[in-house]
Every structure is written in structure tokens, then in C-alpha cells.
Amino acid sequence: MNYIVIDTNVPVVANGHSEQASRACVQTCQMILAEINADKRIVVIDNAWKIIGEYQRHLNPSGRQPGVGDKFLRWLLTNSANPKRCQQVRITPSTDWRSFAEFPNDPALKDFDHSDRKFVAVACAHSARPPVANAVDTDWLHYQHVLATHGVTVVQLCPCVLEEMSTGRG
């Protein structure tokens, strides 16, 4: 199976709501969400809906003209209990700096964005270790090598945009 964890910035960019994203980046994000909708990928989320809760703060699944990212959230809400389209894993809140027991216990990740730790925890908790898709969040770029040492792969959907952002050219 082709499992994937989707950072919130991907559907936000797919909606066209990112100043940093190029047209190609928006199209790439739309394409990955289309693959999910076409049953080519299975989305992995947490069973406490921390990921869906974040999506709901940034996306709107209803309305007269929902964007591609909004439609993704609607799809996810409809299919969240269907294991052929979406799989839920348990992540355990922790009281230490990691935020979740499943997040790697590595001092090199101590400054990794707290709001993104749930995505890493979900990837670590799933038996297939699905990759995390990122569009325009440079934190994923800066930590991708450390995360890889813990079996977490980051798929950079918009590497040119990230390169410009990280070098201050974007």
C-alpha cells in the first residue's frame, strides 16, 4: 500500500493560500491530493483527530466554492473510518519535550516545531512508516536528515520554493 501523512501546509497550498508557493508548487500539492482522492494513496492520521483538528482550523470543507485543500478535508472527514482510504493510529501524549511518546527521543530534534510533531509521531506509530508530505515549511527541510535516521522520510513537494525560502531569496 502507498501510505502518506499530509502536513497541513499541503492542502493550504493546494487551495492557493500561500504567498511563498509557486504555481508549480500549488499544482504539485493539488496532484498529491488528487492521488489520494483517486485511491492511489492511503492517508494516515491519529485516532485522537489532532491532525484533523489542525486541518479544520486552516481549511473549510463546506461552502459554495471549496478549494482543492478544502475538498481534501471533506474527503477525509467522509473517509476517516474507512481503512481502505484512511488509517488511524494511536499517538500518546508525553510530558517531556517530545510532546508524543512516538516522537524520536533525539536531542537534535529538540527545537523541531511542536505543532508538526504529531505528523512525525503518526509516521512513527504506523507499521509502514509512511512518508510525511511537506510543501512550504522549512522546518521539515532543516530536520529531514535527522528524521531520516529515525525512519521518517519527508517528501518535499516544492523543493525549489523551500530552497529559495531557506536561503532568503524567496
Side-chain angles (χ1 to χ4, degrees), residues 63-75:
R64 295 184 64 189
Q65 294 187 342
V68 174
D70 300 323
K71 290 176 184 176
F72 165 71
L73 175 56
R74 184 178 355 172
W75 176 93

Side-chain angles (χ1 to χ4, degrees), residues 3-5 43-48 50-51 87-93 98 100-105 116-132 147 150-153:
Y3 300 101
I4 193 161
V5 178
V43 177
V44 183
I45 61 171
D46 62 287
N47 67 343
K50 291 182 182 303
I51 291 174
Q87 292 194 353
Q88 297 183 32
V89 296
R90 179 180 309 274
I91 55 176
T92 313
R98 295 180 302 153
F100 298 98
E102 295 79 9
F103 188 83
N105 188 7
D116 289 337
R117 291 178 185 202
K118 62 186 157 292
F119 300 106
V120 174
V122 164
C124 290
H126 193 274
S127 60
R129 287 292 180 125
V132 179
L147 290 167
H150 297 283
V152 178
T153 303

Side-chain angles (χ1 to χ4, degrees), residues 64-169:
R64 295 184 64 189
Q65 294 187 342
V68 174
D70 300 323
K71 290 176 184 176
F72 165 71
L73 175 56
R74 184 178 355 172
W75 176 93
L76 189 57
L77 292 168
T78 301
N79 290 286
S80 63
N82 180 351
K84 292 181 180 178
R85 300 186 114 196
C86 179
Q87 292 194 353
Q88 297 183 32
V89 296
R90 179 180 309 274
I91 55 176
T92 313
S94 69
T95 56
D96 65 11
W97 63 269
R98 295 180 302 153
S99 304
F100 298 98
E102 295 79 9
F103 188 83
N105 188 7
D106 185 333
L109 292 169
K110 192 165 188 143
D111 293 327
F112 187 78
D113 187 347
H114 283 268
S115 67
D116 289 337
R117 291 178 185 202
K118 62 186 157 292
F119 300 106
V120 174
V122 164
C124 290
H126 193 274
S127 60
R129 287 292 180 125
V132 179
N134 172 53
V136 295
D137 184 342
T138 56
D139 220 32
W140 291 105
L141 180 65
H142 299 311
Y143 290 96
Q144 72 181 359
H145 296 296
V146 178
L147 290 167
T149 66
H150 297 283
V152 178
T153 303
V154 181
V155 177
Q156 304 292 2
L157 299 177
C158 307
C160 292
V161 172
L162 288 169
E163 179 64 26
E164 287 178 6
M165 289 171 63
S166 66
T167 60
R169 293 179 299 186

Side-chain angles (χ1 to χ4, degrees), residues 6-18 21-23 25-34 59 66-72 135-136 157-158:
I6 303 289
D7 185 292
T8 308
N9 71 69
V10 174
V12 168
V13 168
N15 273 347
H17 297 159
S18 174
S22 65
R23 183 176 196 77
C25 179
V26 172
Q27 290 172 338
T28 300
C29 291
Q30 290 174 342
M31 182 187 72
I32 198 93
L33 298 181
L59 303 165
V68 174
D70 300 323
K71 290 176 184 176
F72 165 71
V136 295
L157 299 177
C158 307

